[in-house]
Structures are given as structure tokens and as C-alpha cells.
Amino acid sequence: MVSHMRYFDNAATTQVLPEVADAIFPYFCQHYGNPSSIHDLGFDAADAIRKARTSVAKGLNCYPSEITFTSGGTESDNLALLGVVGKRGRDRIVTTAIEHSAILETCAEACRRGHRASIVPVDRDGFVDIPALDDMMGDDVSVLSVMSANNVIGTEQDLREMSRIAHKHGALFHTDAVQGFTKMDIDVRRDGIDMLSISGHKVHAPKGTGALFVRSGIEISPIIYGGGQERGLRSSTENVPGIVGLGKATEIAMASMEEDIRRMRVLRDRIIDSVLEIDGAALNGPRDRRLCNNTHFRFEGVKGTDLVLKLNKAGFATSTASACSAGDMEPSHVLSAIGLNAEQALSSLRVTISQLNTGEDVDALLEALPVAIAACRNQ
């Protein structure tokens, strides 16, 4: 194992910020009460949750009462879809071919429960086919779910256009913003978003915590039953340390978001420009309207997994596609959906940065990458 790992796998998870860790720690050993308890330790915990809820709500421009804390993006996606499908006499979900498995597998489960799902195609850059989407909608659609930014190729969708189409057909609009939250400009009021999912560990907060925004007035049913926490929508004793961490991480991100996005874009573009000079390299996904921290390439004559392992040995953490399917030897469904064949898809490398990456990190990667690619081609 190398003594120092330069981390370029931030779409998979992020380092908990030191300030976030400091904010969390007292809620393990000092303010450890159950927030439902009516004593001072319980009151302290409940107050911490209220403050975190306000911070997350401010980051999305919604009311604190519209935020439900969950265990992460997957649970939030499950709750958003399964909690509304079938209501108002509408039993169909429409989503895209490049969604995270948390959406696609939830659609599959909805179908097993007697509902229906439709999958809209995307173009070669991962953008939703708008005419196809409009044709696919109808008065039987309960919810349209389109991710804010793709976790594999970084495509940023037009959320206002997606919500306009959903609302034109009387459907709700949900977006999985797990990748986009804090890294793109999202305002649930301005953008017409009805439900939105986020995950703590993608924004420098701990794993195992997330949130779902649900616009006031939407009829939604729980998928977890028990003590009635989170206003009856998400039973289970709250993960107070995780929630505190998500609130703190959101505060920090919002305070410097514009500058962080600008700086990450500069580093992202340096990576893209340099890598595309390598023989046989191509960019997967769009050059414009791309998430500020995402790059994704394919390399002729290279196996992506081999390249990740060689870079790991050289001290760089990267990935091929989604960490949720990183162990699979099958091509990413996202890369297949944008028209790549199996060989192209399996020759891919994802490099994702965060606010913690430096120019020095990028320089080191760009020096090591051609060497690793050549080694893969020669083996």
C-alpha cells in the first residue's frame, strides 16, 4: 500500500471534512440523547436536528418542514417513488435510461407491485430526448424522475424543462440530486421540483445519512413503519450524528459553492484537455453542461479495471463507473445507453474531484496516467 493516496473517486464517496467531524463528535459521547426523549439530553438532540434541517432547507430554498432525513440517497429515491405511485389514480413512473440503480431497481419493484414504469432514452451525451419524453407522458403518470447530474458521465439535465413537462401532464417531478447537490445551482422553488433526494457522503458528510425534500401538499406514504419519527414519514430513531454532519456540510458547501464550482471546473477542464491528447483517448459524456467535478474517458486497447488497479498501485484512487456496480464485469448501463459498445464501455475511467483536490494532485495524475495506459496496452 502506498503511503499517500491522491483521491479522485469523489463521485463514489467523499472525505468527511474536519469541521464536519468536529461538529459530529459531541453527539456520540456528550449530547447522545434520543431526540424523542423529554429530558435535557433529548432536547439537545432534537435541537441539533432542527438546526440541521434548517441548514439543508436553506441550501435547497425550501421550508424545513419539507425536509425528511433518511439513511441516504437510495432510501430517499425509494420513498419518493414508492410513496407516491398509485395515488391520484396514477400508477406509472417515467424515468431515464441512465438513472442510478436506486431509481431503476425501485421502478422494477413498483412494477412487481402492479404499477408500471417507462424508460425514456438519452442521446450520446446523456441528455434526455425531450420529444420522446413528451410523447411518453400521459395522464396516468404519477411521477417523472430525472437525475440532476449523472453519476457516471456527469451530464447535467435541464431541471426546469423536466419539471415543466411533468407538470404539463399533471405528474410530479422528482430529481435524484445525489451528485448535483452543492455542485450545481439547484433551487426547488425556481426549478419547479416536487421531490429531491440527497446523500450525505457525497458532500463531505458521513455515510448513512441523507434527505428527501417533499413539497408541502404532496400526498406521500411511508415505506418504513414504526414509531412515527420525521412527522410519520420515516420511522426509526434519528441518526443524530449523521444528521448534524449533513447540516454542517451543507452550511460549509453553500458558503463557498460558487467559488468551489468555479475552481473545480478549472481543474476538470485541465484534466479533459490533457487526457484527450493521449492517443486513443475519448471523452464520455458532454463537454458542456457537465458536472463541475466529473471527467470520464475511454481508452482504445485498455481494460478500465486494469487501469484503475495500475493507478491504485501508483497512488491514485479512481474508478471505472458507478461504485455501486464497480465489481461488475458487465458494461455500465449508462455507457450502453449513450451508445457505447461493450469494448468501449469496459475501457473507461472515471476521475472525479472535490473541493479538496489541488492543482498538484491533478499534475501528479496527469503525469502518471499516460504511463499507466502504456503499461496496460503492453501487458
Side-chain angles (χ1 to χ4, degrees), residues 27 31 33-37 39-55 64 69 230 238 240 243-244 247 251:
Y27 292 90
H31 306 295
N34 186 317
S36 296
S37 297
H39 49 61
D40 284 350
L41 286 175
F43 298 151
D44 287 346
D47 188 54
I49 291 175
R50 280 192 293 270
K51 290 178 179 176
R53 201 184 308 275
T54 299
S55 296
F69 288 117
E230 291 297 285
E238 298 89 342
V240 180
I243 290 169
V244 168
E251 285 180 21

Side-chain angles (χ1 to χ4, degrees), residues 74-88:
T74 294
E75 185 189 338
S76 294
D77 286 346
N78 274 253
L79 176 56
L81 300 191
L82 297 178
V84 301
V85 67
K87 298 188 181 301
R88 302 181 299 143

Side-chain angles (χ1 to χ4, degrees), residues 320-362:
T320 53
S322 168
C324 303
S325 58
D328 293 346
M329 296 310 293
E330 295 297 316
S332 160
H333 72 278
V334 172
L335 300 180
S336 297
I338 64 171
L340 300 190
N341 61 37
E343 183 179 356
Q344 290 172 323
L346 292 172
S347 72
S348 293
L349 177 77
R350 184 179 69 176
V351 174
T352 48
I353 60 177
S354 80
Q355 65 189 52
L356 300 178
N357 284 109
T358 65
E360 182 183 346
D361 290 334
V362 170

Side-chain angles (χ1 to χ4, degrees), residues 174-244:
H174 166 260
T175 186
D176 177 334
V178 166
Q179 294 293 332
F181 182 55
T182 75
K183 292 183 285 294
M184 57 187 288
D185 181 19
I186 299 175
D187 182 318
V188 295
R189 297 286 184 248
R190 179 199 66 202
D191 299 336
I193 297 168
D194 298 305
M195 298 182 290
L196 178 147
S197 303
I198 63 174
S199 179
H201 77 107
K202 309 293 189 178
V203 296
H204 303 283
K207 299 170 182 65
T209 187
L212 177 68
F213 156 75
V214 181
R215 180 174 54 78
S216 296
I218 289 177
E219 183 185 358
I220 182 169
S221 297
I223 58 173
I224 296 175
Y225 297 88
Q229 290 86 351
E230 291 297 285
R231 301 172 309 285
L233 190 53
R234 203 275 180 179
S235 292
S236 183
T237 299
E238 298 89 342
N239 174 8
V240 180
I243 290 169
V244 168

